[in-house]
């Protein structure tokens, strides 16, 4: 890590020499299998404990998420971290207002039926219980040095990848989360006073699961169901 960087100019731009770690096939098989087993223990959790989480962990998981690849390396995301109790209450109230409307008037019968085994409803107590709420914003565009608009590219893809990496980092830290998508979710930009170029993307409560926590007994699709191989 503290090795000297081997640098070179290519087409006038700075490059550094890069070689990734390699494993023997046996070890690669073992490692990837173990990683899958570990990832397969991840579950979306709706009951949170209010047990505090060190702020440094939040910094680390956000930095991990922020290593995601992005269109033209624009890193078009902002992670808003809310631990302030009054702000969490405000967010819960506004989210539940929208969710109540969605569950009662906006979602179809089929949709509600599909959600039934997962036990979701308009009630979102985790928005107050979880020690941290991370709200991801996507930056539709950025501002240059003279305040001019600068385009970002593949913003949804970039922020979606970062969200997946954030979820992985949360799991790896021994914490739990849930991807909450209140709809419409523009109230978040208002409450958090975000600039005009940012749109809310995903809300993730982060913390420990509640005591005596149960999650739905879901099954995941197998390799034959999710992958097609063209040999
Ligand atoms: N956004 C709502 C509804 C919801 C929709 C889907 I699709 C889910 O997988 C889960 C919930 C909510 O957060 O409750």
């Amino acid at each position: 890590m503290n090795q000297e960087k081997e640098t070179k100019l290519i087409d006038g731009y700075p490059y550094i020499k890069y070689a990734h770690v390699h494993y023997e096939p046996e070890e690669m098989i073992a490692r990837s299998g173990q990683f899958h087993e570990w990832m397969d223990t991840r579950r979306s959790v709706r009951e949170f404990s209010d047990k505090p989480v060190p702020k440094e962990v939040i910094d680390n998981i956000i930095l991990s998420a922020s290593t995601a690849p992005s269109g033209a390396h624009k890193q078009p995301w902002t992670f808003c971290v809310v631990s302030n109790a009054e702000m969490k209450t405000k967010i819960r109230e506004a989210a539940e207002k929208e969710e109540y409307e969605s569950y009662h008037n906006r979602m179809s019968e089929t949709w509600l039926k599909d959600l039934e085994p997962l036990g979701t409803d308009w009630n979102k107590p985790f928005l107050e219980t979880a020690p941290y709420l991370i709200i991801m914003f996507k930056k539709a565009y950025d501002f240059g040095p003279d305040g001019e608009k600068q385009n970002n590219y593949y913003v949804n893809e970039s922020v979606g990848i970062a969200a997946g990496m954030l979820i992985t980092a949360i799991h790896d830290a021994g914490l739990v989360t849930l991807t909450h998508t209140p709809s419409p979710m523009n109230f978040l930009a208002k409450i958090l006073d975000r600039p005009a170029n940012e749109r809310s993307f995903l809300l993730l409560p982060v913390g420990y699961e509640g005591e005596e926590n149960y999650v739905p007994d879901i099954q995941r699709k197998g390799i034959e169901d999710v992958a097609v191989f063209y040999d």
Side-chain angles (χ1 to χ4, degrees):
M1 264 194 186
N2 44 23
Q3 258 169 295
E4 269 300 301
K5 278 197 216 172
E6 243 184 84
T7 61
K8 187 177 179 174
L9 282 184
I10 302 179
D11 295 333
Y13 293 98
Y15 279 70
I16 54 166
K17 188 158 188 184
Y18 178 72
H20 191 31
V21 59
H22 292 168
Y23 303 106
E24 292 301 323
E26 287 284 287
E27 197 183 350
M28 220 193 299
I29 293 167
R31 287 179 63 97
S32 56
Q34 281 157 12
F35 188 68
H36 167 238
E37 267 180 38
W38 169 237
M39 289 306 290
D40 204 25
T41 65
R42 188 203 58 80
R43 294 301 311 267
S44 290
V45 162
R46 294 186 167 78
E47 306 259 344
F48 281 74
S49 151
D50 61 0
K51 185 175 165 178
V53 165
K55 159 74 167 44
E56 203 177 338
V57 175
I58 302 299
D59 291 352
N60 288 338
I61 60 178
I62 289 173
L63 286 171
S64 290
S66 202
T67 66
S70 60
H73 191 52
K74 295 288 186 180
Q75 307 170 84
W77 43 65
T78 301
F79 299 83
C80 291
V81 182
V82 179
S83 55
N84 177 281
E86 285 102 76
M87 226 161 187
K88 286 199 277 182
T89 301
K90 257 194 189 173
I91 291 173
R92 178 181 179 182
E93 283 170 357
E96 285 184 339
K97 204 168 145 210
E98 292 297 356
E99 293 295 278
Y100 185 92
E101 196 51 32
S102 292
Y103 277 88
H104 288 88
N105 300 315
R106 293 199 279 241
M107 290 152 77
S108 68
E109 280 303 311
T110 322
W111 191 350
L112 292 171
K113 203 83 199 141
D114 278 340
L115 286 178
E116 222 176 81
L118 304 175
T120 68
D121 62 22
W122 63 271
N123 254 294
K124 306 295 175 193
F126 55 79
L127 293 174
E128 284 184 298
T129 323
Y132 289 102
L133 306 179
I134 300 182
I135 299 107
M136 289 182 72
F137 285 83
K138 60 178 181 187
K139 293 183 173 183
Y141 55 91
D142 256 301
F143 298 101
D146 302 317
E148 76 279 16
K149 270 190 190 179
Q150 286 182 343
N151 216 5
N152 287 329
Y153 313 93
Y154 299 101
V155 170
N156 283 320
E157 290 84 347
S158 304
V159 184
I161 295 166
M165 292 175 65
L166 180 64
I167 292 165
T168 307
I170 292 168
H171 179 61
D172 197 59
L175 298 172
V176 297
T177 188
L178 143 79
T179 49
H180 179 42
T181 50
S183 171
M185 68 193 307
N186 42 2
F187 66 86
L188 289 166
K190 275 192 207 126
I191 293 176
L192 300 172
D193 197 22
R194 300 314 302 161
N197 63 327
E198 293 189 7
R199 317 256 184 281
S200 48
F201 184 75
L202 203 57
L203 188 161
L204 301 111
V206 182
Y208 295 90
E209 73 273 21
E211 272 176 47
E212 278 283 319
N213 177 62
Y214 283 84
V215 292
D217 188 13
I218 55 157
Q219 309 303 319
R220 291 191 164 115
K221 290 179 180 176
I223 189 71
E224 303 298 342
D225 302 313
V226 298
V228 182
F229 296 92
Y230 299 85
D231 293 327

